[in-house]
């Protein structure tokens, strides 16, 4: 009985040592990685990152470190690496989605989740974002005292409400949020109740398709009591509290 136990322990020790030896063998080095979701322009950079694991056994490669190197590219939002003992791996990445571009830098974008980052792809046709210098203190990827998530939300929602035209979103040092389109300034006030304000704007535009041409300023800080400045004159506009004719 004791001999059988000794034999079993010996076999187990040999097995464990074999696994450890295999994990530390050059035979397990990462030789092939399948890229999922990686743009063609980034494949060379990915190859360079994986070259850091060349000639390194399986057990000595830290997957999280490689993922961190991938995430150093600011336009990548997430990265996940899976490997096996046979030297094969799969890297899956997802990219940030730009919804606006900062007016001061052609490649500085705002993502749909409210992150500022460098975007190598073209940002043509995206809303432009202008933020008063006194309203912010920021470094790339960080902008304190500025509601980036709300600005990103507005950059997604506003184009669906307004006519197709260049759109600029401005945030003044006082915190006043505005939309600027077709030489018309639409004042939204704070970032609160943006959906209600955009709905009021949609109703007013449905009532008067020439609204943006007729008025130089439209104030929707209180969406149920809109106020407008007609070009060269001041005038009130109908309340947006009710739906336009023909709508429920």
């Amino acid at each position: 009985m004791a001999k059988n136990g000794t034999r079993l322990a010996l076999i187990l020790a040999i097995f464990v040592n074999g696994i450890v030896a295999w994990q530390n063998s050059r035979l397990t080095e990462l030789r092939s990685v399948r890229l999922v979701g990686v743009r063609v322009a980034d494949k060379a950079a990915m190859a360079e990152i994986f070259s850091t694991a060349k000639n390194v056994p399986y057990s000595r490669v830290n997957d999280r470190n490689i993922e961190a190197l991938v995430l150093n590219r600011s336009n990548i939002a997430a990265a996940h690496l899976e490997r096996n003992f046979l030297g094969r791996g799969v890297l899956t990445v997802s990219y940030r989605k730009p919804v606006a571009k900062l007016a001061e830098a052609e490649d500085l974008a705002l993502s749909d989740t409210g992150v500022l980052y460098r975007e190598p792809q073209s940002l043509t046709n995206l809303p432009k974002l202008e933020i008063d210098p006194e309203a912010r203190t920021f470094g790339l990827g960080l902008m304190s005292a500025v509601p980036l998530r709300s600005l990103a939300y507005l950059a997604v929602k506003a184009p669906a409400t307004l006519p197709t035209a260049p759109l600029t979103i401005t945030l003044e040092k006082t915190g006043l949020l505005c939309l600027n389109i077709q030489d018309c300034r639409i004042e939204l006030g704070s970032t609160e109740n943006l959906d209600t304000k955009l709905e009021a704007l949609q109703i007013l535009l449905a009532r008067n398709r020439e609204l943006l041409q007729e008025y130089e300023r439209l104030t929707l800080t209180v969406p149920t009591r809109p106020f407008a400045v007609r070009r060269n004159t001041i005038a009130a506009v109908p309340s947006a509290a009710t739906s336009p004719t023909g709508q429920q």
Side-chain angles (χ1 to χ4, degrees), residues 12-239:
L12 183 60
I14 293 173
F15 179 73
V16 171
N17 287 335
I19 292 177
V20 172
W22 175 256
Q23 288 182 332
N24 287 279
S25 168
R26 287 272 301 277
L27 295 174
T28 63
E29 68 176 272
L30 191 59
R31 297 186 300 274
S32 173
V33 180
R34 182 163 61 91
L35 303 178
V36 178
V38 177
R39 294 172 181 167
V40 173
D42 289 331
K43 288 186 176 181
M46 298 301 109
E48 184 176 350
I49 289 173
F50 284 112
S51 69
T52 62
K54 187 176 182 180
N55 300 326
V56 181
Y58 176 91
S59 62
R60 299 182 185 177
V61 175
N62 188 318
D63 293 357
R64 304 294 82 81
N65 286 346
I66 291 181
E67 291 171 355
L69 290 174
V70 173
L71 291 171
N72 279 340
R73 303 181 70 81
S74 65
N75 62 328
I76 295 180
H80 179 66
L81 175 65
E82 293 183 354
R83 296 183 299 127
N84 60 30
F85 294 110
L86 301 178
R88 296 189 180 93
V90 178
L91 174 69
T92 304
V93 305
S94 59
Y95 288 84
R96 300 191 191 280
K97 180 182 177 181
V99 296
K101 57 184 176 183
L102 256 68
E104 62 201 58
E106 292 184 359
D107 65 341
L108 191 55
L110 179 66
S111 77
D112 58 342
T113 57
V115 175
L116 281 176
Y117 71 101
R118 298 288 181 187
E119 175 57 69
Q121 294 196 327
S122 173
L123 299 174
T124 304
N125 298 327
L126 287 181
K128 185 183 296 184
L129 184 59
E130 294 181 349
I131 301 175
D132 189 286
E134 294 187 31
R136 63 188 180 180
T137 54
F138 75 99
L140 183 59
L142 173 65
M143 185 178 285
S144 60
V146 174
L148 291 177
R149 283 184 175 272
S150 295
L151 293 177
Y153 181 81
L154 183 60
V156 172
K157 292 291 185 178
T161 301
L162 295 162
T164 302
L167 171 66
T168 299
I169 300 171
T170 62
L171 181 66
E172 300 182 357
K173 63 181 179 181
T174 59
L176 179 64
L177 185 61
C178 301
L179 300 175
N180 298 273
I181 183 171
Q182 296 181 1
D183 295 325
C184 180
R185 171 185 165 97
I186 303 169
E187 298 176 343
L188 301 177
S190 71
T191 58
E192 296 181 358
N193 303 316
L194 286 179
D195 282 330
T196 302
K197 294 169 183 176
L198 290 176
E199 182 180 357
L201 176 60
Q202 189 173 34
I203 291 172
L204 293 173
L205 287 171
R207 287 175 174 165
N208 181 1
R209 295 183 179 180
E210 305 301 319
L211 185 71
L212 301 179
Q213 289 77 31
E214 293 178 6
Y215 295 91
E216 65 182 39
R217 179 162 61 90
L218 175 62
T219 302
L220 293 172
T221 52
V222 181
T224 56
R225 295 198 299 274
F227 181 81
V229 176
R230 191 184 296 273
R231 301 192 187 280
N232 302 320
T233 61
I234 297 178
V237 295
S239 171

